[in-house]
Short mmCIF file of all heavy atoms in Angstrom, two decimals:
data_model
loop_
_atom_site.label_atom_id
_atom_site.label_comp_id
_atom_site.label_asym_id
_atom_site.label_seq_id
_atom_site.Cartn_x
_atom_site.Cartn_y
_atom_site.Cartn_z
N ASN K 1 0.69 -13.38 3.82
CA ASN K 1 -0.56 -12.70 3.50
C ASN K 1 -0.58 -11.34 4.18
O ASN K 1 -0.71 -11.25 5.40
CB ASN K 1 -1.76 -13.54 3.95
CG ASN K 1 -1.99 -14.73 3.06
OD1 ASN K 1 -1.77 -14.67 1.85
ND2 ASN K 1 -2.42 -15.84 3.64
N ALA K 2 -0.40 -10.29 3.38
CA ALA K 2 -0.47 -8.92 3.89
C ALA K 2 -1.93 -8.47 3.90
O ALA K 2 -2.76 -8.99 3.15
CB ALA K 2 0.37 -8.00 3.03
N THR K 3 -2.23 -7.48 4.72
CA THR K 3 -3.59 -6.96 4.83
C THR K 3 -3.63 -5.52 4.33
O THR K 3 -2.79 -4.70 4.72
CB THR K 3 -4.08 -7.00 6.29
OG1 THR K 3 -3.99 -8.33 6.78
CG2 THR K 3 -5.51 -6.51 6.39
N VAL K 4 -4.59 -5.23 3.47
CA VAL K 4 -4.76 -3.87 2.97
C VAL K 4 -5.32 -3.00 4.08
O VAL K 4 -6.35 -3.32 4.70
CB VAL K 4 -5.71 -3.85 1.75
CG1 VAL K 4 -5.94 -2.41 1.29
CG2 VAL K 4 -5.14 -4.69 0.62
N ILE K 5 -4.63 -1.90 4.36
CA ILE K 5 -5.09 -0.94 5.38
C ILE K 5 -5.93 0.16 4.73
O ILE K 5 -6.98 0.55 5.25
CB ILE K 5 -3.89 -0.31 6.11
CG1 ILE K 5 -3.08 -1.40 6.83
CG2 ILE K 5 -4.33 0.77 7.08
CD1 ILE K 5 -1.75 -0.91 7.36
N SER K 6 -5.47 0.65 3.58
CA SER K 6 -6.20 1.70 2.88
C SER K 6 -5.77 1.72 1.42
O SER K 6 -4.70 1.23 1.08
CB SER K 6 -5.96 3.07 3.51
OG SER K 6 -4.59 3.43 3.37
N GLN K 7 -6.60 2.31 0.59
CA GLN K 7 -6.29 2.45 -0.83
C GLN K 7 -7.00 3.67 -1.38
O GLN K 7 -8.15 3.95 -1.03
CB GLN K 7 -6.75 1.22 -1.61
CG GLN K 7 -6.72 1.39 -3.13
CD GLN K 7 -5.91 0.32 -3.83
OE1 GLN K 7 -4.76 0.56 -4.18
NE2 GLN K 7 -6.50 -0.84 -4.04
N GLU K 8 -6.29 4.43 -2.22
CA GLU K 8 -6.91 5.59 -2.86
C GLU K 8 -6.28 5.85 -4.22
O GLU K 8 -5.12 5.50 -4.45
CB GLU K 8 -6.78 6.84 -1.99
CG GLU K 8 -5.35 7.29 -1.74
CD GLU K 8 -5.26 8.57 -0.93
OE1 GLU K 8 -6.11 9.47 -1.15
OE2 GLU K 8 -4.33 8.69 -0.10
N ARG K 9 -7.06 6.44 -5.09
CA ARG K 9 -6.58 6.87 -6.41
C ARG K 9 -6.02 8.27 -6.25
O ARG K 9 -6.72 9.17 -5.76
CB ARG K 9 -7.72 6.86 -7.42
CG ARG K 9 -7.36 7.32 -8.82
CD ARG K 9 -8.62 7.33 -9.68
NE ARG K 9 -8.37 7.80 -11.04
CZ ARG K 9 -8.37 9.08 -11.40
NH1 ARG K 9 -8.60 10.02 -10.49
NH2 ARG K 9 -8.14 9.43 -12.65
N ILE K 10 -4.75 8.49 -6.62
CA ILE K 10 -4.13 9.80 -6.40
C ILE K 10 -3.84 10.55 -7.70
O ILE K 10 -3.44 11.71 -7.66
CB ILE K 10 -2.85 9.67 -5.55
CG1 ILE K 10 -1.82 8.75 -6.22
CG2 ILE K 10 -3.19 9.17 -4.15
CD1 ILE K 10 -0.48 8.70 -5.49
N ALA K 11 -4.02 9.89 -8.83
CA ALA K 11 -3.88 10.53 -10.15
C ALA K 11 -4.49 9.56 -11.16
O ALA K 11 -4.90 8.46 -10.79
CB ALA K 11 -2.42 10.83 -10.49
N GLU K 12 -4.54 9.96 -12.41
CA GLU K 12 -5.11 9.08 -13.42
C GLU K 12 -4.31 7.78 -13.50
O GLU K 12 -3.10 7.79 -13.75
CB GLU K 12 -5.10 9.76 -14.79
CG GLU K 12 -5.75 8.92 -15.89
CD GLU K 12 -5.76 9.60 -17.23
OE1 GLU K 12 -5.28 10.75 -17.34
OE2 GLU K 12 -6.24 8.99 -18.20
N ASP K 13 -4.98 6.66 -13.22
CA ASP K 13 -4.38 5.32 -13.25
C ASP K 13 -3.30 5.10 -12.19
O ASP K 13 -2.60 4.09 -12.22
CB ASP K 13 -3.79 4.99 -14.64
CG ASP K 13 -4.85 4.95 -15.72
OD1 ASP K 13 -5.99 4.58 -15.41
OD2 ASP K 13 -4.53 5.30 -16.87
N ILE K 14 -3.16 6.02 -11.23
CA ILE K 14 -2.16 5.89 -10.17
C ILE K 14 -2.87 5.66 -8.84
O ILE K 14 -3.74 6.45 -8.44
CB ILE K 14 -1.26 7.13 -10.06
CG1 ILE K 14 -0.59 7.46 -11.40
CG2 ILE K 14 -0.21 6.94 -8.96
CD1 ILE K 14 0.43 6.46 -11.86
N TYR K 15 -2.48 4.60 -8.14
CA TYR K 15 -3.12 4.24 -6.88
C TYR K 15 -2.08 4.13 -5.76
O TYR K 15 -0.94 3.75 -5.99
CB TYR K 15 -3.86 2.90 -7.01
CG TYR K 15 -5.12 3.01 -7.84
CD1 TYR K 15 -5.05 3.04 -9.23
CD2 TYR K 15 -6.37 3.10 -7.24
CE1 TYR K 15 -6.19 3.16 -10.01
CE2 TYR K 15 -7.52 3.20 -8.01
CZ TYR K 15 -7.42 3.24 -9.39
OH TYR K 15 -8.56 3.36 -10.15
N SER K 16 -2.53 4.48 -4.56
CA SER K 16 -1.70 4.40 -3.36
C SER K 16 -2.33 3.41 -2.40
O SER K 16 -3.50 3.52 -2.06
CB SER K 16 -1.61 5.78 -2.70
OG SER K 16 -1.04 5.68 -1.41
N MET K 17 -1.55 2.43 -1.97
CA MET K 17 -2.05 1.40 -1.06
C MET K 17 -1.11 1.24 0.13
O MET K 17 0.10 1.12 -0.04
CB MET K 17 -2.15 0.05 -1.79
CG MET K 17 -2.65 -1.11 -0.93
SD MET K 17 -2.42 -2.73 -1.71
CE MET K 17 -3.59 -2.65 -3.06
N TRP K 18 -1.68 1.26 1.33
CA TRP K 18 -0.93 0.92 2.54
C TRP K 18 -1.29 -0.51 2.91
O TRP K 18 -2.47 -0.88 2.90
CB TRP K 18 -1.31 1.84 3.69
CG TRP K 18 -0.62 3.17 3.70
CD1 TRP K 18 -1.11 4.36 3.23
CD2 TRP K 18 0.68 3.47 4.24
NE1 TRP K 18 -0.20 5.37 3.41
CE2 TRP K 18 0.90 4.86 4.04
CE3 TRP K 18 1.66 2.70 4.85
CZ2 TRP K 18 2.08 5.48 4.45
CZ3 TRP K 18 2.84 3.32 5.25
CH2 TRP K 18 3.04 4.69 5.04
N ILE K 19 -0.27 -1.32 3.23
CA ILE K 19 -0.52 -2.70 3.65
C ILE K 19 0.22 -2.97 4.96
O ILE K 19 1.26 -2.37 5.24
CB ILE K 19 -0.06 -3.72 2.58
CG1 ILE K 19 1.44 -3.58 2.29
CG2 ILE K 19 -0.89 -3.59 1.31
CD1 ILE K 19 1.99 -4.66 1.38
N ARG K 20 -0.36 -3.87 5.76
CA ARG K 20 0.33 -4.34 6.97
C ARG K 20 1.08 -5.60 6.61
O ARG K 20 0.50 -6.57 6.11
CB ARG K 20 -0.68 -4.60 8.08
CG ARG K 20 -0.01 -5.07 9.38
CD ARG K 20 -0.91 -4.88 10.58
NE ARG K 20 -0.97 -3.47 10.99
CZ ARG K 20 -2.04 -2.70 10.83
NH1 ARG K 20 -3.12 -3.16 10.27
NH2 ARG K 20 -2.02 -1.43 11.22
N THR K 21 2.40 -5.59 6.80
CA THR K 21 3.24 -6.69 6.35
C THR K 21 4.50 -6.81 7.19
O THR K 21 5.04 -5.79 7.65
CB THR K 21 3.63 -6.50 4.87
OG1 THR K 21 4.66 -7.43 4.51
CG2 THR K 21 4.13 -5.10 4.58
N GLU K 22 4.98 -8.02 7.35
CA GLU K 22 6.24 -8.25 8.07
C GLU K 22 7.42 -7.63 7.33
O GLU K 22 8.46 -7.35 7.94
CB GLU K 22 6.46 -9.75 8.24
CG GLU K 22 5.45 -10.44 9.14
CD GLU K 22 5.65 -11.94 9.21
OE1 GLU K 22 6.69 -12.42 8.71
OE2 GLU K 22 4.79 -12.63 9.77
N ALA K 23 7.27 -7.42 6.02
CA ALA K 23 8.35 -6.84 5.22
C ALA K 23 8.74 -5.45 5.69
O ALA K 23 9.85 -4.98 5.43
CB ALA K 23 7.95 -6.80 3.74
N ALA K 24 7.83 -4.76 6.39
CA ALA K 24 8.11 -3.40 6.84
C ALA K 24 9.28 -3.35 7.82
O ALA K 24 9.97 -2.32 7.91
CB ALA K 24 6.86 -2.80 7.48
N SER K 25 9.53 -4.42 8.54
CA SER K 25 10.58 -4.42 9.55
C SER K 25 11.98 -4.37 8.95
O SER K 25 12.93 -3.94 9.59
CB SER K 25 10.45 -5.64 10.46
OG SER K 25 10.66 -6.84 9.73
N GLU K 26 12.10 -4.84 7.69
CA GLU K 26 13.42 -4.92 7.07
C GLU K 26 13.59 -4.00 5.86
O GLU K 26 14.71 -3.81 5.38
CB GLU K 26 13.68 -6.35 6.60
CG GLU K 26 13.67 -7.40 7.68
CD GLU K 26 13.88 -8.78 7.11
OE1 GLU K 26 14.52 -8.90 6.05
OE2 GLU K 26 13.39 -9.75 7.71
N ALA K 27 12.51 -3.46 5.33
CA ALA K 27 12.56 -2.73 4.06
C ALA K 27 13.45 -1.49 4.13
O ALA K 27 13.53 -0.82 5.16
CB ALA K 27 11.14 -2.34 3.65
N LYS K 28 14.09 -1.21 2.99
CA LYS K 28 14.96 -0.03 2.85
C LYS K 28 14.56 0.71 1.58
O LYS K 28 14.01 0.13 0.64
CB LYS K 28 16.42 -0.46 2.77
CG LYS K 28 16.92 -1.17 4.02
CD LYS K 28 18.36 -1.64 3.84
CE LYS K 28 18.84 -2.38 5.08
NZ LYS K 28 20.24 -2.88 4.92
#
């Protein structure tokens, strides 16, 4: 279960979301 930190609309139908997740430790 990740937690949403922030979310914003950055263009038409395009959204940006930051989440807190364990996946960040390994992601490339």
Side-chain angles (χ1 to χ4, degrees):
N1 286 325
T3 303
V4 176
I5 299 170
S6 65
Q7 168 125 261
E8 63 177 322
R9 178 183 178 274
I10 59 174
E12 183 179 359
D13 297 329
I14 305 292
Y15 288 78
S16 168
M17 179 193 291
W18 278 97
I19 59 173
R20 181 161 284 109
T21 168
E22 294 176 9
S25 65
E26 300 178 27
K28 298 177 181 178

